[in-house]
Amino acid sequence: MKVFIINPPPEEEKLTVKDFDCNAYAKANFIIPQIGLAYIAAMIENKHDVKIIDCAAEGFSHNKLKKLCESDKPDVCIVNTAIPSVKNDLRVSHYLKEIDKEIRTIYVGPAAVTLTETVVSHPNVDFAITGEPEYAVLELLTYFEDNVANVSDIPGIAFSRNNDIVFTEKRAPIENLDELPFPAHHLLPLKKYIFPTIKRKPFTSVLSSRGCPYRCIYCYMPTLGKKYRYRSPRNVVDEIEYVVRDLGIREIMFRDAEFTLKRERVIGICKEILARNIDVIWQCEARADSVDFELLRLMKDAGCHLINFGVESGDERILKNVKKNISIESIERAFGWCDKLGIDTQAHFIFGLPGETKETIEKTIKFAKKLRPRYVSFNVATPYPGTVFFDWLNERGLIKTFEWHLYDQSGYPVFDLPTLSAEEIWKGFQRAYKEYYGMSYIVKELLRIRSLYELKKNIRLGINLFTKTLKRKRQ
């Protein structure tokens, strides 16, 4: 069968970052490789004619995508969908069925898992995948071809039957991640991806583990789940070696929720990279309390140039409220080690978590300045359905809208707190950006630029951050 795997066109000027459980509008119109879709493609490309169409990267409009589908006539379309963009993503199924009612439509991604009823109740959607997608998609395609099995026996899917929503048995998480084929990086438009912290192009993403054992109340991981599973160091580095050697990749973005959770595994990955003398640099995400100086030094030697740390708040009480279970001291220590070793850092903060006040916002802004990360990402707390944070707000009647397109980590808050209004959270968010990215930061960053690519990237970041975040009006 001819199968299209589609990342839909963005709505107007709003790009949605949706890759497995990543589920947010892009602050500055940067686009990352669709590694989740590439995993699906890898599972089925030996049996089917597969094409990944990343409309965000290619700059395709809905009209362009429709014309492509009209000319190429796919049998099945697998469509990626996120909570903020679900309404826009569902448009794709409408014109696919206009082209040919026999085209099978399968929706994957955060909205397919969390807003399943919204997705499968759409008259032009045939199926939604309600968990990890690889085996569920493979089994659905086999069902389409053979039509001998009972579709209700396929775990991890949902569909509409006689105006009822049918949920099949929940699919267990994939335990042995080494058994999965490497993602079909070769089907992605790798040269068209761009991200502010990337130093070398082309780059791609690697997912070396899935899940996260921590229980932060705002965290949203419906697709990969909470159960932590990981690939062996050899398997991870085999993939890195392949994309560097065969596809010309020069930088890796590890997409793990917590890359450094298993210290010995990270050591194994680093030693494998060094032993094979692979010419690649990389970045990852980590908790500040899961690193130490010696581990960071080895990571640096193996090519790590940047670590993303989820700091969230400069107030210990808020960190306790949201079950982050980390100390301010350990955060300061990790940033100090990175600074000493010459590893760049990006700190992520969230405004509007339970217990937030004007004083804690001020405390967080000061803490960001004290840590001095090269990059900082301030975010508005966003209560995605399925999180403890959503339930906490909803039980108290604090959520102001259920229009999902307004659930934006860099947009106006969709709730009030008992201690702070949405307007006060919004003003704190905007002030944080203006104070951190001031003239002294700009001058310092300009002096660090070593290539035309870095210059163009930083200009684009600045323009988009100002026009799309700081100038965004209340909706």
Side-chain angles (χ1 to χ4, degrees), residues 285-406:
E285 300 181 26
R287 277 178 62 102
D289 59 357
S290 68
V291 297
D292 57 71
F293 187 79
E294 291 304 319
L295 179 63
L296 290 170
R297 181 158 57 185
L298 179 60
M299 290 167 63
K300 168 79 171 178
D301 291 343
C304 179
H305 73 89
L306 179 136
I307 301 177
N308 289 273
F309 289 107
V311 179
E312 322 314 356
S313 176
D315 185 83
E316 293 260 18
R317 185 170 49 85
I318 289 179
L319 294 176
K320 184 177 180 181
N321 288 346
V322 301
K323 302 188 186 309
K324 181 74 177 181
N325 296 328
I326 196 168
S327 68
I328 295 294
E329 181 184 3
S330 64
I331 294 169
E332 292 178 334
R333 189 165 52 239
F335 276 80
W337 286 332
C338 288
D339 189 51
K340 185 174 182 179
L341 289 165
I343 299 174
D344 285 335
T345 52
Q346 178 166 10
H348 297 262
F349 295 93
I350 303 174
F351 292 120
L353 294 170
E356 192 81 272
T357 64
K358 289 181 180 180
E359 290 72 28
T360 60
I361 287 177
E362 182 64 28
K363 198 173 182 179
T364 295
I365 295 172
K366 288 181 178 178
F367 190 49
K369 293 175 181 177
K370 182 180 181 181
L371 292 176
R372 296 183 297 112
R374 181 169 186 185
Y375 305 98
V376 65
S377 175
F378 295 111
N379 300 276
V380 171
T382 305
Y384 292 119
T387 63
V388 174
F389 184 40
F390 177 91
D391 294 339
W392 186 86
L393 290 168
N394 199 31
E395 288 166 4
R396 290 161 175 77
L398 296 171
I399 296 179
K400 303 166 80 170
T401 179
F402 297 99
E403 294 290 333
W404 305 120
H405 69 281
L406 297 178

Side-chain angles (χ1 to χ4, degrees), residues 3-4 6 69 74-79 96 103-107:
V3 181
F4 281 4
I6 300 169
C69 293
D75 300 298
V76 179
C77 285
I78 300 166
V79 185
L96 287 174
I103 295 175
R104 304 292 188 106
T105 55
I106 304 171
Y107 272 68

Side-chain angles (χ1 to χ4, degrees), residues 106-329:
I106 304 171
Y107 272 68
V108 300
V113 179
T114 305
L115 303 177
T116 312
E117 295 190 13
T118 298
V119 172
V120 296
S121 63
H122 192 284
N124 297 311
V125 173
D126 293 316
F127 295 95
I129 307 299
T130 58
E132 285 180 305
E134 291 91 345
Y135 285 105
V137 167
L138 180 64
E139 291 168 24
L140 264 179
L141 295 187
T142 301
Y143 166 76
F144 294 159
E145 283 195 316
D146 300 341
N147 204 25
V148 291
N150 184 345
V151 71
S152 299
D153 292 335
I154 299 175
I157 67 171
F159 54 92
S160 178
R161 176 188 286 164
N162 300 323
N163 295 320
D164 289 328
I165 307 301
V166 178
F167 288 84
T168 66
E169 180 184 355
K170 188 175 181 180
R171 183 175 290 271
I174 300 168
E175 292 292 341
N176 181 10
L177 298 180
D178 283 3
E179 75 185 18
L180 294 172
F182 296 152
H185 296 275
H186 59 284
L187 296 181
L188 295 169
L190 294 172
K191 293 183 179 180
K192 297 189 177 182
Y193 295 113
I194 186 167
F195 198 77
T197 58
I198 290 293
K199 283 188 172 183
R200 293 165 55 176
K201 291 186 68 178
F203 74 99
T204 194
S205 299
V206 168
L207 191 68
S208 78
S209 65
R210 298 187 179 192
C212 177
Y214 297 100
R215 294 293 181 266
C216 306
I217 69 168
Y218 52 82
C219 188
Y220 180 80
M221 295 190 70
T223 305
L224 299 180
K226 292 291 186 181
K227 185 173 183 180
Y228 182 73
R229 297 147 290 145
Y230 52 91
R231 297 163 59 188
S232 66
R234 180 177 294 276
N235 182 261
V236 173
V237 182
D238 281 348
E239 181 183 350
I240 293 172
E241 189 171 46
Y242 153 66
V243 296
V244 170
R245 181 190 65 228
D246 292 3
L247 303 178
I249 291 300
R250 303 180 67 225
E251 180 164 347
I252 297 296
M253 177 187 287
F254 282 106
R255 296 289 298 145
D256 307 42
E258 219 295 72
F259 180 72
T260 54
L261 183 63
K262 295 286 185 180
R263 187 178 191 275
E264 291 305 314
R265 190 183 76 102
V266 177
I267 291 172
I269 290 171
C270 292
K271 287 184 175 180
E272 279 283 335
I273 291 173
L274 290 167
R276 302 189 200 188
N277 196 29
I278 301 173
D279 181 17
V280 71
I281 61 174
W282 48 277
Q283 55 183 275
C284 65
E285 300 181 26
R287 277 178 62 102
D289 59 357
S290 68
V291 297
D292 57 71
F293 187 79
E294 291 304 319
L295 179 63
L296 290 170
R297 181 158 57 185
L298 179 60
M299 290 167 63
K300 168 79 171 178
D301 291 343
C304 179
H305 73 89
L306 179 136
I307 301 177
N308 289 273
F309 289 107
V311 179
E312 322 314 356
S313 176
D315 185 83
E316 293 260 18
R317 185 170 49 85
I318 289 179
L319 294 176
K320 184 177 180 181
N321 288 346
V322 301
K323 302 188 186 309
K324 181 74 177 181
N325 296 328
I326 196 168
S327 68
I328 295 294
E329 181 184 3

Side-chain angles (χ1 to χ4, degrees), residues 434-452:
K434 290 174 183 176
E435 288 194 19
Y436 195 85
Y437 288 111
M439 185 54 65
S440 62
Y441 176 90
I442 294 170
V443 171
K444 183 179 178 181
E445 193 62 26
L446 286 172
L447 292 173
R448 299 179 67 167
I449 290 173
R450 294 293 180 267
S451 68
L452 180 60

